[in-house]
Every structure is written in C-alpha cells, then in structure tokens.
C-alpha cells in the first residue's frame, strides 16, 4: 500500500525550505532597489509564484502525485484569473468613451 | 407592421427606438421559427413513433457528425448577427452627440429632480425639446436608482458615487412615462416621473417662463401637482389607505401622537415642520424614514402642499 | 467492491464503501484538493478587491503600506515556511512509522503557528493603538488619503481571514497529535496527516502572496 | 489490448429480487436512524422532504404576490410587505429550493447507484452538508422572524447596507447554505472519479452523472465567491469596511460583479442537473440509444466553463464600462450553442424511437418546449440594445421563470415521477399524473407568457404598484397562478396517496438500462448486495436487461440462490485506470 506512496527524501524537504527562505529574503531585498512601477509588482508576484510552486510541487507532493490533482489546483487559478481580468475590463475602462471602438 | 409592433412594444418616442425594435422583432421571429420547428418535430415524432408494443426494438443510431456541425454552425451564424446588431445599436444608444442639450438629473428615494442649465429645476417632470438630442447627466443622493423611459427604449442606472449619462432624441412632442427600474425600497414603484417633449415654440417659451412657478395657479392645485411630483404619494395616500406614512386624508386638524409620547394638533405650523424637518417629531407607529424636502421645494410649493392637505377632508 | 467486509476487517480504518485503502486515500486527497480550490477562490474574492482598488488608487497603497512593518511580515513568512517544512517532515515520519518524530514535528508546527499568531497580535495591537481600525472605526490621521480606511479594511479582512485559517489549522494539528499519541497512524494509514498538511501548506501559500502584496509596496 | 490474465475476473448474473422484505427504508427504525444516517439514499430523501417544503412555502408566497398584483396600488398588502415577500420568494426559491433540488435530492440518491457504488465517497460529509443546509435554513427563518429582508434576492449595495431589515442573518443563512452546496459538489466529483464500479468507463457513464459532474464543478468553483461576497456584505454592515458602500468611498458596481460572478454560474447549477434528468427520461421513454452521447456529455462541461465568463450581462445598464458590456454580450451568446446542441440531440433521439408518453415523459417534453422559450428569450436579453429596454422589466421575470420553473422545476417533477417507484417502492396514479402535468403546463404558460408582453411594454419588475393599462395582463397571470396551484395540489394528493396505499412497484417499471434500476424497489441498504460490473453503456437498449445485472462472482457471499449466466470480463477498465 504505502509502498507505492512517494516518501520524499529529507534532503529535498530541507533544500526546498532553504530555497523558500532565500527567495523571501530576495523579495524583500529587491524592494530596496526601487524598481519602477509596474515592474516592481511583476518581480514581487513573480517571486511569490515561484515560492508557491515550490510549496505545491515539493511540500504538497504534486510533482510525484496523480496529475489530476495538479489540474484541479491549476483550474482554481484559471478561474481566479478569469474573475480578475474580466472585472478589470470594467473597472479600468470606465472612463473610456464608447466612440473609440 | 406598426400595429404588430404595438402589441409587444410601447410607442416609439425616440429616434433610437426603431433600430431596437427591429432587432427585437428579428429575434422574436427567428426564435419563433426555431421553437415551431422543434415543437413540430417533437409532436410529429411522438405521434409517428408511439410505442405500439412493449417489446419494440429501436435502431441503434449513436451520432452523426454532420448533423452536430449543422446545428452548431447555424446558431453560431444567428448569434453573430444578433450580437453585432445589438452592439451597433448599443453604441449609438450610449454615444451622445456633442451638440446635445444637457440636463442634470438627481435621484433620491423616491423622487426625480431635473436641473436645467439655466439654473431652474423641476420635480417629477422633465421638459425636453423634441427633435433635438438631450443628454442627461445623472447622480443619486442615496441608493442606486435607474432612469428608464420605455417609449424611448432607454435606461441607465443612477448611482451614488459617480455620474452616469444617457441621451435620447424625442421624435415628436408628447408625454412619456419615466420609471425607476432599480429596486430602491418602499417607494420604488412610486418613483415615477414624466418626460414632456415640447415642440420648438413651446420649448422656447418654456425656457423663458416655465421654470418659474405659475403664480396664478390656485395653491391647492399646485399642491396636488407637487404631491405626485415630489413623490409624496410614494408614502402618503389621499384616500385613507395605510402606507409607509400616515394618510393625508383627514389629517389636518387631528390630534397627532408621537413616538416620545407627546401630542400636537396638525395645524399649518406642524405640517410645515413635518415637511421641512420630518425627524423632529415622529408620529407614533411609523418608521423615521421620511426624507427632508427642505431645499428642493419652493416656498409656494410648500404652501401649496399644506393647502392641499387641508382640503383633504 | 470485492469483499469489502473482508478487507475492512484487516484494516479498521477503511470505511465500508471503499474497496481498499488506496482508493480511500486517493479519494480523501482529491477531496482535499477540491476543498483547497474552494479556499483559493474564497480568498480570490479578496484578492480581486485588492487588485481593483490598487489599480484605482496606487498612491493610496504606497502611502498606507508604510504603516505595515516589513520586518515582522518577513519574519512571519519565515515562520510559516518553517512550519510547512515541519509538517512535510511529519508526513515522512508517519510514512516511516516514526511515532516519536511524528509527534515532535507536529508539535513544532503548532509552536510555529503560535509564533505566527503572536507576531500578528503585536502587529494588530500596534495598529489599534494608532487608531488604525477596520472600516468606520478608523481614526488614524497619519495618512493623507480619503480612502485610507478602505486599504486597512482590505488588509484586515485578508489577514484576519488568514489568521482564522491558521487557528483552524492549529486545532486540526492538535487533534493529529492526540491521535498520533494513540498510535493511530502508520505507513498503513496516515490520510489525516496528509490532508491536514495539504491544508496547512495552502495557508502558507496564501501568506506567500499576502506578504509582498500588503507589506512590500514601494 | 494485451490483457494480462490477472485483470480477468469471473462475473455472473444476479437476477433482481422483487420487493425483498428488508430495504433501506425499514432497515433501521426510529428518528435517530434518519438524522444520523450516512446512507446517501436516506440523506437524499430528507433533502427531498426539505426542498419540497420550501418549494411549497416559496410557491405560496408567489401566490400572495400574484394576488397583490390583482389591482394597481394596494390590493391587500402594503408596499413594504410586498417587497419583503418577493425577496423571500426569490431567496427561498433560489437558495433553499432550486440549487439543492436536483443535485442534493435526486443526485444524492441516484448518483452512487448509477455508478454501482455503495455510497458517495464521503458519507459523513454528505450528512454534514444536510445539517449545514438545515442550519442555514434556520438562520433564514430567524431572519424572517425578525422582520425578514426587503432587498431583493440580489442584495445590491448600497440599499442592502442601508435598509433596516434583517439583512445580516439572512445573508449569513445564504452563506452557510453555500457550504452545504460546496460539500455536495465536492463529494460528487470525488465519487465520480474514484468510486465507479469495474467496467464503467467515462464513455458508459449515464448522462445524469455527466450533468452532475459539470454541476459539481460549478458548485466548487463559484460558491466560495458567493461566500466571500456575503461575508464582505456582512462586514460592510457591521464595520463599514467601505469596499462596496459608496458613502464610504466604495463601489457598488463592484458588488454586482462579485454577486453575479457566483450567481450567473449558479443558474447553471440550477439547469444543468435538469439537463441530466431530461437525458435519462428521453432515452428511457423512447427506449432508444441516446443520440450524440458525447455531444450531450461534453456540452455540459462547455456550459459550465462558459458560464463563468458572462456574468456581466446582468449589468448592461449598471454603469460598468461599455467595453466589458460588449465582451459580456458576446460571450453570453456563445452559451446558446452547447445548449442548442443538447436540445437538438434530444429531439433527434426521439426519431424512430419507441415513445411512451408516460407522465415523466410528458414533463420532459414540456421542458423542451418551455426551456427553449426561456433560452431564446435569454438570447433576446443578451442582445445589448434590446436588454437596455428589457432590463428589470417583467420580460426578465418571464425569462427566468421559463428557465427555472418551466425548465428546472418541470425536469425535477419529471425526475420525481420517474424515480418515485424506485425511491418509495410504490407506483403513483398514472392517470392523475397525466392530468396534473397538463394542468401544470397550462397554468405555467398562462402565468408567465403574459409577463413577456408586460415586460416588453415597459412594466418594471419589483413593482408593488403599476399603471392602469397593465392590469388586464396582470390579472390573466394571476389566474394562471391559481391553475398552477391546483395542478400542484393534484400532484401532492396523488403522491401522498401513492405513499400510503400505492401499488407495489416492480424493480424496473420503465425498462431503463442504468444501474440504479438493477436493484429492488426500494433498494436494499447497500444498494446492491453484490459488486456490480458494467458490461454495456447506459443506453444500450438493444441489450436485454439481464445483461445489466452482472456482478463479481461470489461478491454476494452466497445471498443469491438462483444462479444466472456467468461470464468473464476485463475489469482493468475500472476507475483507477481511467483517471491517469
Ligand atoms: C435556470 C436558470 C437560468 C438559465 C438556464 C438561464 C439561461 C440564460 N440566460 Fe438567464 N437569468 C436567470 C436564470 C437563468 N438564465 C435569472 C434568475 C435571471 C434574473 C436574475 C435577476 O436579475 O433577478 C436571468 C437574467 C438573464 C439576463 C439579464 C437580464 C437583465 O437583467 O437585463 C440575461 C442577459 O443576457 C440572461 C441571459 C441568459 C442566456 C443567454 C441564457 C442561456 O443559457 C440560454 C441558452 C438556451 C437557448 C439559447 C435555447 C436553446 C437553444 C436552441 C434551441 C438553439 C438555437 C439557439 C440560437 C440560435 C441562439 N439571463
Ligand atoms: C426556482 C425558482 C422560482 C420558482 C419555481 C418561482 C415560481 C413562481 N414565481 Fe417567482 N421568482 C423567482 C424564482 C422562482 N419563482 C425569483 C428568483 C424572483 C426574483 C425575486 C426578486 O426580484 O428578488 C421571482 C419573482 C417573481 C415575481 C416578480 C415579483 C416582482 O418583481 O415584483 C413574480 C410575480 O408574478 C413571481 C411569481 C411566481 C409564481 C406565480 C410562481 C409559481 O410557479 C409558483 C407555483 C408553486 C406553488 C403554487 C406551490 C404549490 C406546491 C405544493 C402544493 C406542494 C406540492 C409540491 C410537490 C409535490 C413538488 N416570482
Ligand atoms: Cu428608485 Cu427604484
Ligand atoms: Cu445570467
């Protein structure tokens, strides 16, 4: 039974945590650089995404797991993005007069 | 065609209405044909292929790709037509011409106030020139309302924190009904108004004199007008039926009892106070919801209202 | 469903309607992932509010974020990452039948979770002290923006909801420790450890996004 | 297909025992055996009881609404009362009746049986979902006791933050009920993935299951957004957080985005299960392989997905940007295509079938007619310029009653009749059932057809008072609602009669081929006392019924005396294999 469950090596776990901590320091450090808008957001979110994928893949075992679980996880992000972008389609374009289309 | 149209739709009061109507009829007719086709097929099959014995065997027909494509593509074409048509008309509906005559609209629970560039304002009656584009710049003082004129096929929500706009061009002089079509509470269905489109002469004349209150009109008649114009009728009846607020019938001269236990006689002063500062004394058994009308009614209108209430025995 | 009763006798942790442990384990895990999906969309609503308001009022966010203590936020990020590590190691301990380690690792996860909450407590009280309350109770004058209270409403909604999730996590992990002390887990059965860990990692992931979005605006 | 020998399993036929003395209803006795049951069938029955009760309450409120609209101005209730009543009508019908209706009652009962499982994947969660539902309903009742709400079922801000009515407890109730819906959906997805019996490939899955699968996806993805929306609304009232309240700098239109991001997908939570029921009814009562199996199955998923992209069509005149209105309108139309595919495939299934016009089939045919009207008027209001005129008028009211009442409720009634013998082991009176379906069809169309006219002529919705010229149509509609009431009373009477002294039902009165019928009526406690194996698809009507009652040899532990045919199949096609 649990023979076919993946037991993650201790080293992998520790390295992963180390990488996460380094990225945390990095994300704080880049704010000292004062990257101009909007790239600072891009960098901050980019780093957060890498961190989240590390947690999901290693700690949450998705890398070794049934791929369907990954699909389930990613689908939530897809629908979240749908929510964000379509709403922005309204909120960012309220003052744009209709004539331009 | 015109009479056929009038079964479904109100009269066409604006230049934009015809395009909307044609699309409306197009969808109805196409839809009806589709529906008829489906219904006839169902009925025909049900009769033709009725079960005759319990051990009937049916053929194995699993699918047919050509059919699936046909009944995906035909609707696709139809919706593309409908979409672009609706889109184009919407574009005109919400792009006011630059020379439009501008009027400000203020919505509050539950009345409409119209302010004209010349400075005057009217309650519950919007005067516009016919055959000339009019642009409304609208704002709400409390919750969301919606300004709708079915005759003109226009509608737009009126929201508290920013201006929304709407434009139309009445194609002939006449009166059309205005509804509030966004639910706004007790008086929602009484939040009515009228648009009165005037021909050029009348419009010029109205611009000159209309904003001033007609000095000759008897006070009670003015009061009656204000009663609906300022939407007192949303909460007060004149025939004794209970509503949000007490009825006006027989109100004058009676002994009023208040939430704090005190009493007073409903005389002129009391009526004036009730209109201008409704929260000062709350009549027992009623919620403290009446909006103040100080500022939006002229002195003569207030007098008119009081006179009108006095006359309602 | 072959002979499910027979199998069930062998492993008392299998419920009657499952064929074997594998089916039950995989089902629970898929169930948990689906639950995490709902959690993501639940928080997603708040992120949408955040994004919309930030797009509308970038200046507000820059001004208001200055009131947030980056150091504390960063430490808390580290704390949560460490707790993710300990709970991931806890699964390993369960898989390898190391009962003692399992209990120690779960307990350290709880300790870290409490640390997180304590730091949050100090952050909150500091703000309350300044009069930075959510919504209408906001009284702080230091930020020259009429929507300052809206920023902090979003901040409080996000972090408080996250904090509630941390507390729920603490309760569940506490329950795991209790069960572990009763020898309930082994390489034959550790589903609860696995799915609680999934939950806990998600709480971590959400914080990973909250931290740069709320604290690191410049 | 290099089959290893080990994948082969001996199977045999298990002839169905008719009306055995022990079934799930009398398996255990006492109230406790119900409220603490983990049996999906009993949970389904309790849901059925609850939603029928709420449908009755919501329906009676509707009768009151229609009565009040008999005359302009006050007929017998005040404007405030009217506002409370239509709000309660909407909330009860949507959150307490229609969303749980087919999934939680019929789905809970039949989904596990259709896939040959003993129960759903998480029976305890299932029971929890019922309790959460009951708990949420209590909040709603509490709110009614404390004055009810008058916001409309949409809770638009800022009205909902300003009104003095009991908004918090009501939204809390809806918030809680949302979790029950999430749990049901989650349970169904896992059940369908992990609990299918050997041989039940995705391509053999009954279409009802496919529909439940699509519904469950929407429930899981959309309902959490409702939860956060209502939570923010509650916070707006409690703390004044100012996200939605314009008085505090918030944006009321943003609230509408949040609300409809859930509530538009929610309309597909209401209708997609109905599609599933209709697929079963049409196939069974035409005794014919369903036409376009994959088209119907996958279009449910397409609808579920597209349903997330169109919410803004409720906001064409709300003040959202024109760009988004245009995008929303375009996406809205796309949904017509997968839906049309379904309708056409159903009609094609009738072709050369062996059609039996039993009451469930009558409901299914009425569904086709009424839902097509509802759907096409949906296209009508999806057209930008036309919706400007029709928005918030009775045209909208008619549109959504045609899809919800004429669609979902009719499908629900069809399903209720279809599965009644299985659920309770009793036949209903076919004669009266046919009459009632006719009365309901008539009453429904009398009530709501005139509302299209009212709306296109400009009559706004949520209006307590109306102008004189609308009176004739309003009265016609009110009379229609009485016909509806009579129809429902007939249904209630003969169904009660059937419960008390109906004839015993055979195990498969309609000759269906899905697994839910391959067990006694009512089913035994564990659904099947053997491990079922699927040899054929759900609509292989050319195979005799005996081909559908196979199970793994010996899995009954010697319960079955008469031994049918034996066979051997490759069970590697079981659920585990399919997933990867
Ligand atoms: C069960 C519930 C349900 C369902 C299934 C639908 C289905 C659809 N609805 Fe409806 N709708 C509601 C419930 C539902 N709706 C409710 C409750 C409201 C009001 C909420 C409120 O404000 O209180 C509402 C309001 C509503 C509006 C907002 C109107 C307004 O307020 O101004 C719109 C606008 O686009 C709309 C569109 C649609 C469309 C395009 C579909 C489509 O899914 C329909 C698709 C079906 C067909 C098209 C018919 C079959 C197809 C064919 C026969 C093929 C041929 C077709 C073509 C050529 C297109 N609906
Ligand atoms: C599932 C959804 C659903 C259903 C089924 C119904 C059913 C009915 N609705 Fe409702 N309605 C809504 C959902 C629904 N409605 C919503 C969401 C709104 C909008 C609210 C808002 O604006 O906020 C609305 C609004 C609404 C209005 C508009 C109010 C207004 O805008 O001012 C009207 C007016 O006529 C109306 C009428 C009716 C009528 C006559 C029925 C009839 O079909 C009812 C018939 C039912 C009965 C008479 C009950 C009898 C039952 C039994 C005897 C028990 C036996 C039962 C079984 C055995 C199953 N409804
Ligand atoms: Cu104002 Cu409705
Ligand atoms: Cu919709």
């Amino acid at each position: 039974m649990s023979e076919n469950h993946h037991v993650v090596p201790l080293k992998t776990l520790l390295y992963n945590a180390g990488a996460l901590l380094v990225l945390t320091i990095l994300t704080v450090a880049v704010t000292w650089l004062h990257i101009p808008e909007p790239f600072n957001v891009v960098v901050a979110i980019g780093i957060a995404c890498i961190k989240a994928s590390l947690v999901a893949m290693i700690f949450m075992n998705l890398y070794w797991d049934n791929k369907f679980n990954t699909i389930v996880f990613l689908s939530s992000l897809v629908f979240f993005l749908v929510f964000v972008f379509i709403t922005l389609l309204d909120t960012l374009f309220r003052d744009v007069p209709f004539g331009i289309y | 065609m015109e009479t056929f149209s009038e079964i479904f739709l109100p009269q066409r009061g604006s230049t934009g209405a015809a395009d909307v109507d044609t699309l409306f009829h197009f969808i109805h007719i196409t839809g009806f044909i589709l529906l008829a086709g489906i219904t006839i097929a169902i009925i025909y099959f049900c009769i033709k292929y009725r079960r005759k014995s319990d051990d009937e065997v049916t053929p194995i027909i699993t699918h047919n790709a050509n059919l699936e494509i046909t009944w995906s593509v035909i609707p696709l074409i139809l919706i593309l037509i409908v979409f672009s048509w609706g889109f184009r008309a919407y574009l005109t509906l919400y792009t006011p011409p630059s020379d439009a005559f501008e009027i400000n609209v203020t919505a509050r629970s539950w009345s409409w106030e119209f302010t004209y560039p010349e400075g005057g304002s009217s309650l519950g009656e919007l005067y516009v020139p016919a055959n000339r584009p009019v642009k409304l710049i609208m704002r709400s003082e409390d919750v969301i309302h919606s300004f709708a004129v079915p005759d003109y096929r226009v509608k737009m929500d009126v929201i508290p924190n920013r201006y929304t706009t709407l434009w139309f061009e009445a194609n002939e002089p006449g009166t059309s009904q205005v509804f509030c079509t966004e639910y706004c509470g007790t008086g929602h269905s009484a939040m009515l108004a009228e648009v009165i489109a005037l021909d050029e002469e009348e419009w010029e004349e109205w611009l000159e004199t209309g904003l001033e209150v007609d000095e000759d009109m008897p006070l009670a008649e003015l009061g009656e007008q204000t009663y609906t114009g300022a939407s007192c009728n949303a909460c007060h009846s004149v025939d004794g039926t209970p509503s949000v607020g007490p009825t006006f019938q027989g109100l004058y001269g009676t002994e009023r009892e208040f939430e704090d236990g005190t009493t007073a006689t409903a005389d002129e002063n009391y009526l004036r106070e009730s209109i201008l500062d409704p929260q000062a004394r709350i009549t027992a058994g009623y919620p403290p919801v009446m909006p103040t009308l100080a500022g939006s009614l002229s002195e003569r209108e207030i007098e008119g209202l009081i006179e009108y209430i006095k006359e309602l025995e | 469903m072959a002979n499910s009763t027979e199998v069930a006798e062998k492993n008392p942790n299998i419920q009657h309607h499952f064929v074997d442990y594998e089916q039950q384990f995989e089902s629970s895990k898929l169930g948990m992932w689906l639950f995490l999906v709902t959690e993501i969309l639940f928080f997603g609503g708040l992120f949408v509010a955040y994004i919309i308001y930030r797009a509308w009022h970038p200046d507000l966010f820059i001004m208001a974020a200055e009131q947030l203590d980056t150091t504390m936020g960063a430490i808390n990020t580290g704390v949560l990452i460490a707790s993710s590590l300990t709970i991931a190691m806890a699964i390993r301990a369960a898989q390898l039948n190391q009962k003692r380690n399992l209990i120690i690792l779960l307990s350290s996860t709880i300790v870290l979770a409490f640390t997180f909450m304590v730091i949050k407590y100090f952050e909150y009280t500091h703000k309350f002290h300044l009069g930075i309350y959510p919504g209408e109770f906001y009284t702080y004058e230091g930020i020259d923006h009429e929507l300052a209270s809206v920023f902090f409403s979003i901040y409080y909604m996000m972090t408080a909801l996250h904090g509630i999730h941390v507390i729920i996590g603490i309760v569940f992990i506490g329950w795991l420790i209790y069960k572990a002390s009763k020898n309930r887990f082994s390489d034959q059965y550790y589903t609860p450890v696995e799915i609680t860990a999934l939950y806990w990692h998600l709480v971590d992931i959400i914080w990973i996004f909250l931290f740069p979005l709320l604290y690191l605006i410049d | 297909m290099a089959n290893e020998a080990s994948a082969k399993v001996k199977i045999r036929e298990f002839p169905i025992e008719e009306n055995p003395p022990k079934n799930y209803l009398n398996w255990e006795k006492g109230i406790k055996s119900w409220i603490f049951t983990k049996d999906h069938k009993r949970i389904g029955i309790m849901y059925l009881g609850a939603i029928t009760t709420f449908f009755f309450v919501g329906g009676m409120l509707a009768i009151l609404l229609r009565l009040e609209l008999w005359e302009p101005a006050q007929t017998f209730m005040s404007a405030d009362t009217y506002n409370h009543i239509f709000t309660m009508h909407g909330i009860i019908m949507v959150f307490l009746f229609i969303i749980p209706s087919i999934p939680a009652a019929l789905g809970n009962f039949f989904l596990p049986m259709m896939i040959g499982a003993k129960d759903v994947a998480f029976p305890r969660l299932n029971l929890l979902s019922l309790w959460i539902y009951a708990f949420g309903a209590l909040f709603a009742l509490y709110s009614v006791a404390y004055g009810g709400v008058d916001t409309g079922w949409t809770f638009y801000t800022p009205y909902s933050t300003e009104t003095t009515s009991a908004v918090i407890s009501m939204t809390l109730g809806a918030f809680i009920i949302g979790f029950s819906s999430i749990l049901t959906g989650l349970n169904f997805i896992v059940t369908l993935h992990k609990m299918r019996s050997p041989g039940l490939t995705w391509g053999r899955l009954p279409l009802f299951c496919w529909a439940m699968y699509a519904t469950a996806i929407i429930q899981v993805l959309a309902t959490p957004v409702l939860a956060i929306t209502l939570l923010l609304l509650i916070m707006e009232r409690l703390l004044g957080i100012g996200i939605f309240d314009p008085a505090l700098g918030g944006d009321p239109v943003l609230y509408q985005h949040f609300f409809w991001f859930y509530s538009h997908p929610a309309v597909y939570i209401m209708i997609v299960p109905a599609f599933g029921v209709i697929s079963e009814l049409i196939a069974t009562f035409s005794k014919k392989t369903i036409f376009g199996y994959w088209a119907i199955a996958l279009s449910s998923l397409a609808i579920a997905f597209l349903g997330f992209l169109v919410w803004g069509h409720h906001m064409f005149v709300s003040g959202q940007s024109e760009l988004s209105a245009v995008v929303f309108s375009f996406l809205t139309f796309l949904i017509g295509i997968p839906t049309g595919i379904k309708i056409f495939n159903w009609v094609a299934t009738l072709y050369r079938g062996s059609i039996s016009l039993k009451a469930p089939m009558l409901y299914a045919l009425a569904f086709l007619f009424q839902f097509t009207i509802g759907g096409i008027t949906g296209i009508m209001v999806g057209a930008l310029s036309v919706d400007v005129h029709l928005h918030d008028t009775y045209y909208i009211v008619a549109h959504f009653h045609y899809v919800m009442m004429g669609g979902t409720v009719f499908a629900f009634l069809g399903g209720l009749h279809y599965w009644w013998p299985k659920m309770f082991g009793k036949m209903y009176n076919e004669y009266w059932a046919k009459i009632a379906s006719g009365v309901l069809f008539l009453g429904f169309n009398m009530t709501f057809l005139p509302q299209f006219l009212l709306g296109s002529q400009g009559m706004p919705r949520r209006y307590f008072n109306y102008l004189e010229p609308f009176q004739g149509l309003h009265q016609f509609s009110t009379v229609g609602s009485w016909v509806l009431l009579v129809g429902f009373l007939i249904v209630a009477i003969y169904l009660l009669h059937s419960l008390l002294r109906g004839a015993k039902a055979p195990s498969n009165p309609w000759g269906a081929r899905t697994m839910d019928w391959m067990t006694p009526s009512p089913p035994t406690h564990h659904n099947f006392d053997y491990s079922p194996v699927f040899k054929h698809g759900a609509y292989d009507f050319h195979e005799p019924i005996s081909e559908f009652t196979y199970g793994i040899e010996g899995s009954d532990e010697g319960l079955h005396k008469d031994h049918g045919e034996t066979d051997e199949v490759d069970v590697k096609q079981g659920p585990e294999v399919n997933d990867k």
Side-chain angles (χ1 to χ4, degrees), chain D residues 500-522:
Chain D
L500 298 177
R501 43 184 65 129
K504 273 208 159 85
S507 62
N508 192 352
W510 321 120
R513 294 295 191 274
T514 44
M515 196 53 91
D516 44 328
W517 295 99
M518 308 305 156
T519 173
S521 299

Side-chain angles (χ1 to χ4, degrees), chain D residues 516-532:
Chain D
D516 44 328
W517 295 99
M518 308 305 156
T519 173
S521 299
T524 47
H525 176 58
H526 281 312
N527 300 346
F528 307 94
D529 42 26
Y530 55 94
S531 300

Side-chain angles (χ1 to χ4, degrees), chain B residues 107-112 142-146 179-185 187-191, chain D residues 462-463:
Chain B
R108 66 177 75 86
S109 300
W110 294 285
S111 62
W112 297 101
D142 36 50
V143 299
I144 304 179
H145 303 274
S146 190
F179 292 109
C180 171
T181 52
E182 183 60 64
Y183 175 68
C184 52
H188 170 55
S189 65
M191 192 165 161
Chain D
R462 297 172 170 171
Y463 258 37

Side-chain angles (χ1 to χ4, degrees), chain D residues 260 263-265 267-268 310-311 313-314 332 399:
Chain D
W260 292 114
S263 291
H264 182 80
V267 311
Y268 299 110
V310 306
W311 73 84
H313 64 212
H314 297 271
T332 297
H399 155 67

Side-chain angles (χ1 to χ4, degrees), chain C residues 175-194:
Chain C
W175 174 76
L176 286 184
I177 295 176
Y178 170 74
K179 287 281 174 182
S181 70
K182 297 237 151 153
N183 263 331
R184 290 277 283 132
F185 303 126
S186 67
D187 61 340
Q188 298 300 304
Y189 176 71
Y190 61 95
T191 319
V193 187
E194 172 91 22

Side-chain angles (χ1 to χ4, degrees), chain B residues 45-192:
Chain B
F45 289 159
C46 284
I47 295 170
K48 177 111 193 263
Y49 303 115
R50 269 192 96 130
R51 187 171 298 174
K52 278 146 204 124
S53 82
D54 274 344
D55 40 42
E56 261 172 4
V57 200
T58 53
I60 309 169
I61 312 173
T62 55
H63 62 286
N64 180 325
N66 288 337
L67 271 178
E68 302 288 350
I69 291 171
T70 318
W71 59 50
S72 311
V73 171
I74 294 178
L76 180 67
I77 295 171
L78 286 174
I79 60 177
L80 286 178
I81 297 173
V82 172
F83 166 72
S84 33
W85 194 338
F87 165 60
R88 227 199 43 232
Y90 187 72
L91 204 130
T92 6
L93 259 152
Y94 284 99
T95 317
S98 48
D99 61 339
F101 184 81
E102 294 186 358
I103 299 173
N104 277 61
V105 178
T106 310
R108 66 177 75 86
S109 300
W110 294 285
S111 62
W112 297 101
E113 186 174 347
F114 306 101
T115 316
Y116 300 86
E118 282 73 21
S121 72
S122 60
L123 270 172
E125 280 174 351
L126 168 62
Y127 290 90
V128 297
N131 299 316
R132 185 172 160 193
V134 174
K135 177 178 169 188
L136 303 181
I137 299 163
M138 311 188 290
R139 217 182 79 86
S140 164
E141 282 185 356
D142 36 50
V143 299
I144 304 179
H145 303 274
S146 190
F147 184 89
V149 190
D151 286 355
Y152 295 173
R153 318 282 189 270
V154 294
K155 179 175 291 144
M156 188 69 206
D157 280 9
V158 185
I159 40 191
N161 59 341
R162 65 195 158 97
Y163 290 100
T164 52
T165 60
L166 185 69
W167 83 274
F168 53 79
E169 181 178 336
N171 56 13
E172 59 191 5
T175 305
S176 292
Q177 185 65 46
V178 176
F179 292 109
C180 171
T181 52
E182 183 60 64
Y183 175 68
C184 52
T186 317
H188 170 55
S189 65
M191 192 165 161
L192 309 176

Side-chain angles (χ1 to χ4, degrees), chain D residues 251-396:
Chain D
D251 184 42
V253 179
L254 190 61
Y255 171 82
Q256 298 174 20
H257 281 295
F258 271 65
F259 182 80
W260 292 114
F261 182 85
Y262 165 74
S263 291
H264 182 80
V267 311
Y268 299 110
I269 298 179
M270 306 170 194
I271 198 71
V272 174
F275 292 157
V277 173
I278 297 300
S279 301
E280 299 302 322
L281 297 184
I282 301 239
T284 303
F285 289 95
S286 312
K287 213 176 171 186
K288 184 161 163 286
T289 312
I290 195 104
F291 187 84
Y293 174 87
W294 281 110
I296 298 181
L298 297 181
S299 59
S300 292
L301 293 180
I303 291 172
F305 176 72
L306 286 172
F308 277 93
L309 309 179
V310 306
W311 73 84
H313 64 212
H314 297 271
M315 303 161 58
F316 285 157
V317 300
S318 69
Q320 69 174 342
S321 81
E322 279 121 3
L323 172 65
S324 56
V326 171
V327 172
F328 278 129
S329 167
F330 181 74
L331 294 169
T332 297
F333 288 130
L334 292 185
I335 297 189
I337 293 171
T339 319
I341 288 177
K342 279 182 191 293
I343 305 261
F344 295 126
N345 278 302
W346 287 325
V347 176
T349 304
L350 298 175
Y351 171 70
R352 297 184 62 194
S354 164
I355 299 171
S356 153
L357 293 178
K358 293 265 169 45
M361 185 63 162
L362 292 180
Y363 283 112
L365 299 178
F367 170 96
L368 291 184
F369 177 75
Q370 287 160 180
F371 177 75
T372 305
I373 298 183
I376 286 177
T377 53
I379 297 295
M380 175 76 90
V381 291
L384 282 166
S385 63
V386 181
D387 185 59
V388 171
H389 176 57
L390 296 176
H391 173 71
D392 269 347
T393 65
Y394 263 75
Y395 199 92
I396 307 301

